[in-house]
């Protein structure tokens, strides 16, 4: 759900209400309403940090006109959450069986625990 996104600034735990992106070719920082999804090259900001943001010398800041507000969860967010909880609680869902070839290695997801090397 979108309401759990927090400000990207170090030490700030306030809810995010704006998204900061950079247009490097234009030397511009853009602060707009909170994006629907968190992107790798953008930063979520709380209202205080969105309003106080400054850019390096020679850069321009383009800021959203209007108030920033914490987005309310949409029906789609609530539906997705309800379906995820329902799926996790199903008693008939398939359970992954351990691979006998991975016995003793503790394989779990994309990580693998390797046994200690034998010292000769």
């Amino acid at each position: 759900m979108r309401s759990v996104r927090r400000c990207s600034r170090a030490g700030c735990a306030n809810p995010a209400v704006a998204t900061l992106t950079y247009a490097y070719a234009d030397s511009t920082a853009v602060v707009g309403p909170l994006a629907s999804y968190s992107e790798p090259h953008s930063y979520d900001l709380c209202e205080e940090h969105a309003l106080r943001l400054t850019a390096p010398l020679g850069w321009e800041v383009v800021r959203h006109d209007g108030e920033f507000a914490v987005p309310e969860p949409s029906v789609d967010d609530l539906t997705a959450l309800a379906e995820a909880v329902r799926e996790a609680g199903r008693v008939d869902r398939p359970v992954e069986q351990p691979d006998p070839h991975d016995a003793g290695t503790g394989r779990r997801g994309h990580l693998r625990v390797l046994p200690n090397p034998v010292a000769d």
Side-chain angles (χ1 to χ4, degrees), residues 2-17 44-49 70:
R2 281 178 252 159
S3 62
V4 298
R5 286 168 58 186
R6 300 283 176 208
C7 184
S8 297
R9 295 289 302 259
C12 183
N14 292 327
V17 296
D44 294 338
L45 300 174
C46 66
E47 185 173 20
E48 178 184 355
H49 288 120
V70 177

Side-chain angles (χ1 to χ4, degrees), residues 20-31 41-42 58-62:
L20 166 66
T21 55
Y22 294 102
Y24 292 99
D26 299 326
S27 299
T28 304
V30 181
V31 180
H41 299 290
S42 64
W59 280 61
E60 181 181 1
V61 176
V62 175

Side-chain angles (χ1 to χ4, degrees), residues 37-97:
Y37 300 98
S38 183
E39 297 290 330
H41 299 290
S42 64
Y43 302 90
D44 294 338
L45 300 174
C46 66
E47 185 173 20
E48 178 184 355
H49 288 120
L51 295 174
R52 289 186 0 192
L53 179 90
T54 60
L57 187 61
W59 280 61
E60 181 181 1
V61 176
V62 175
R63 216 178 298 273
H64 167 70
D65 286 336
E67 294 183 15
F68 294 110
V70 177
E72 295 295 323
S74 71
V75 173
D76 292 340
D77 291 337
L78 296 174
T79 302
L81 178 61
E83 288 176 4
V85 169
R86 189 177 307 120
E87 181 66 24
R90 278 185 34 209
V91 293
D92 64 334
R93 80 172 199 213
V95 177
E96 278 188 40
Q97 296 299 321

Side-chain angles (χ1 to χ4, degrees), residues 113-120:
V113 177
L114 298 175
N116 288 332
V118 178
D120 290 326

